Amino acid sequence: MRFNKNFFYIIKENGFQLLFVILAFVTMATVGYIFISKLMRERLYIGVNNLLYSAEAEVKSSFLEAELTLLNSDNIILKMMERGTTKEELLDFLVFTTNCMIDTNISNIEFRGIYGFIQGEFYDGIGKDLGESFYPQSRPWYQTAVRNPDRVGYTAPYKDWDTDENIVSAVKMLTNGDERLGILAVDVNINWLIEFVNSLKLTENGHGVLLSHDLKIMAHSEASYLGTQLYELGFEYGNLSYNLRVNHEVKAKVIKDPVMGPSIVFFKEMFNGWYVGVITPRSQFFRDLYVAAEILFGLGILLSSFLCMTLLRLSVAKRLSDEESKLKSSFLAQMSHEIRTPLNAIIGLSEIDLNKGNLNSDSRSSMEQIYNSGNSLLQIINDILDLSKIEAGSLEIISNEYNTALLINDTINLNKVRIGTNSISLKLDICDRFPARLCGDEIHLKQILNNLLSNAIKYTREGFVSLEAKYVHIDDKTCNVVFIVSDSGIGIRKEDMDRLFSQYTKFDVEQNKHIEGTGLGLPITKKLVEMMHGTILVESTYGKGSIFTVTLPQEIIDTEIIEPDIVEKLKNLEYSSHVKKAVIDCAWMPYGKVLVVDDLQVNLIVAAGLLEPYGLTVEKVDSGAKAIELVKSGEGYDIIFIDHMMPEMDGIETMKIIRTWETKNDLPQTPIIALTANAMVGNKDLFISKGFNGFMAKPIDTRELDEVLNLWIKDKQDSDTLESAELNKANQMLKNDKIENQKAINNVDKQVIEAFLSDASKSLSTLADSLKQGNIKLFRTTVHGLKTVLAIIGEEDTSKKAFALEQAAEQRKQEFIKSHIEEFINDVNSIIECLTSKEAVEEENEDEILEDIATLSLNYKNLIKACAEYDDTQIYEIINLLKQSRWKKKTMSNIDMLYKMISLHSDFDGAIDTLIKLQKDIIPNNDD
């Protein structure tokens, strides 16, 4: 993972999640440790108990022979005494028994022999000379028998009188009823027992311990401890002694051993009152537990670290994704603004020319191609932006009440234009009792229908395209509207049906290469239908046509239906004609006064041209400050159009100042409409929330403009004013001079050049001043305006340099600006000089131009060959080469015409026919 400057911020941002992961694994490891510890302790305790029980069993089995000998000898001696056996016979029996025990020893015990103290006399079955000082009542075996008269007892280890060996005596009181006759004892050498107890180990350094009934140490790894009391080993052993005396056992008691340090001890009382125990170092006793804990906590640390790193990676990835998404949105917004600004000029100026109606056929055809191409590009931009909004989840479905008849009528009228010169009949069928008013997202419903109809028109060369509207009642509040779009077009192959709604997908590319489009229309339509909780189905037969069925739930407003006569009028809108661009019937509003605010002269020219057919008084200013000055001077306006993005003072700031001034002076609010080329932020709710009365996206849609003007100006007038305006319009139309109109139309491009020449020098001066003043905002907005105009007049390279400077200003890259501004200013000055001198060149007498007919003919011939091979690269190279030479206006016009035939229409066959005709014109006898 890359550790950048944001890494610690990311850790802080994800602190809670990281803490949760760490705590979760600590808790898991702790619980696991406790659980494993419990299991291991239980297993250890079981192991210890098994070991102690085994030791007890081993000792018991080893002493069993001694007990049996005592019991048998007890019975025999009692019987012998009943028969009156002599002392010698009793002694002989004990000697005999001793010899048998020694001869037949099959256990671990080394028997020393049996002897007794019977009726006051000592019977030595072992055969040792004890001497006169021997006093039986002082011996341990005698005292043990007295303390345990009813059972076999065992003495603590003691030194043998004769051999000084460590021995233990098993003793039994010899009784006849309640009468005590004497004592029998068997001596056992316990050296084997010491070795056995020392072998009782839980761990490598542990050892066993054997205690007598009075807690003397009988067996221990330290020989010096033998015979000492347990409590003598230290204070903690004293506590251990107390526990043994009270509880007779000890389980897992932690003590500090003098030799091994911290230790764990276990003790258990045996059958004969002795205690057997094991002692092991604590570290070794819990060694496996410690290892398990280390492994568990190690794995926990590794896993938690891995998860934390994964979480941070995901967080970094999400952050990068969010940043990329923001950059994408910012890029789309910027590109929307950059593309829509020149499109506003292209579509607006061409629409102005088309509406004036005084173009010759060739000029009209060219202007319609410009207009249609601009709208096609606008549709592509809108598709991409719509898809981006849908993917970002920023596209909202907003339900409002709408008029169904108007929706259907607007949809049909829009698609009349799209049919153009194609031999297609547009059919409409509406079911009876279709609701007049419904509630839903009218805008996106129109978009769905327009996408389907435009798609049908694009892929239908001849025949029909139809729209059928149906209505299905569900309940009192809800209904389903069903729209069926059918066509007799080329249809869709079965194998392509599954990919029909995939993004950027086009089918039969070779066959349909003449059809424009991004392949986004149907995917957007499907997503919109799904967002509106509807369904879309498609049926198609390849070569015969397609049927798209859209079903959408809508809210019922009331029971009112579309009137039958309106339904009939809508149904009769059936076309099999060559429909041209529909011209809006603009209401004449000489009583209206409009202020247009935009920092670009081109946009002001377009706006004025679009407003001209209304007869309005139009004032234009290029800054918010000037607009505020005019408003405060008392100039009353019926409506103000303000560009959203302007230098120094943007549209929102300008609007707020005007609103504040109106409120302060108790004046009614002037309708203010925002103009924006940024479709990503251009939504009605945003601008209305800021205080605007509405917004219009660039390029300006003439239908929207017409609606705005009618709403805020015409509909506010009384009937007398409207009637007077209509008479005024009739008189004005008679006064218009067609020749002057033609000149105005021809001068549209000239006006753009003049606007550039008028503003360019001033803009360059502003750039220099803004750099001196350190006003980076003014610098950015000024170079932004120059960039757009340079692109419009075809200076793409210089426009790109302006864009680079604008980006540098936005990112505060002062060094880049300083190193590139001089070159940019020189380029703009060169363009100004070139455009200024071009006017003089255009006045040059054509008769002075000598055309190289041979070269022209050769290039025409090469163009014919390139067109026949569909080699557009070669075609553009030849045409660009021709444009570099000086030709008469007619020849240049022909070259431009050929360029448009290829670039706009891909009409290679038509270009070949035109080239053959042109060759015959320049060389009449040329038959090639």
Side-chain angles (χ1 to χ4, degrees), residues 662-894:
E662 289 173 336
T663 302
K664 183 178 180 181
N665 291 277
D666 296 325
L667 296 173
Q669 288 191 350
T670 304
I672 302 178
I673 306 299
L675 298 176
T676 177
N678 190 344
M680 293 299 287
V681 297
N683 62 76
K684 184 175 181 180
D685 292 338
L686 171 65
F687 286 100
I688 288 180
S689 68
K690 298 293 184 182
F692 288 93
N693 296 93
F695 93 103
M696 292 178 62
K698 298 177 185 178
I700 297 173
D701 188 302
T702 53
R703 291 178 180 275
E704 290 185 20
L705 178 62
D706 187 67
E707 290 177 3
V708 170
L709 294 175
N710 286 329
L711 174 64
W712 295 106
I713 300 180
K714 179 185 173 183
D715 294 349
K716 306 292 183 181
Q717 311 304 317
D718 55 44
S719 58
D720 292 340
T721 303
L722 294 176
E723 185 176 351
S724 175
E726 288 301 320
L727 292 173
N728 183 289
K729 179 180 180 181
N731 293 331
Q732 184 68 29
M733 293 294 290
L734 293 174
K735 294 179 182 179
N736 286 338
D737 186 272
K738 293 184 179 180
I739 297 176
E740 291 300 316
N741 288 341
Q742 183 64 45
K743 287 182 179 179
I745 292 169
N746 292 337
N747 284 335
V748 169
D749 290 341
K750 189 175 181 181
Q751 290 180 24
V752 175
I753 297 298
E754 289 176 352
F756 169 74
L757 292 175
S758 174
D759 294 343
S761 297
K762 179 181 176 182
S763 296
L764 292 179
S765 177
T766 303
L767 286 180
D769 292 341
S770 64
L771 287 178
K772 290 179 182 178
Q773 298 167 6
N775 190 341
I776 199 69
K777 179 181 178 182
L778 178 61
F779 178 87
R780 184 174 70 86
T781 53
T782 304
V783 80
H784 168 82
L786 280 171
K787 172 196 64 178
T788 304
V789 179
L790 287 166
I792 292 173
I793 65 175
E795 297 295 336
E796 297 293 340
D797 291 340
T798 311
S799 177
K800 291 178 181 177
K801 293 178 181 179
F803 177 72
L805 287 169
E806 180 187 2
Q807 293 295 308
E810 186 173 351
Q811 300 169 11
R812 304 282 176 174
K813 295 182 178 179
Q814 299 283 358
E815 294 300 324
F816 181 89
I817 295 173
K818 289 180 182 178
S819 60
H820 290 80
I821 187 62
E822 184 177 353
E823 178 186 355
F824 174 72
I825 292 175
N826 291 337
D827 288 349
V828 175
N829 283 324
S830 298
I831 293 170
I832 294 172
E833 292 176 5
C834 179
L835 291 175
T836 304
S837 63
K838 186 177 180 182
E839 296 180 0
V841 174
E842 288 177 350
E843 298 297 329
E844 182 181 1
N845 192 338
E846 276 204 332
D847 293 338
E848 296 180 3
I849 299 177
L850 298 177
E851 294 186 328
D852 188 347
I853 302 301
T855 300
L856 184 62
S857 177
L858 178 61
N859 281 298
Y860 281 169
K861 184 176 181 180
N862 291 335
L863 279 172
I864 292 172
K865 181 180 178 183
C867 287
E869 296 174 353
Y870 300 100
D871 189 351
D872 53 355
T873 303
Q874 182 66 18
I875 292 170
Y876 293 142
E877 288 181 0
I878 296 172
I879 290 176
N880 289 332
L881 184 63
L882 285 171
K883 286 185 175 182
Q884 294 175 10
S885 301
R886 296 182 60 199
W887 306 101
K888 293 183 177 181
K889 288 185 177 179
K890 182 178 180 181
T891 303
M892 285 301 300
S893 176
N894 291 335

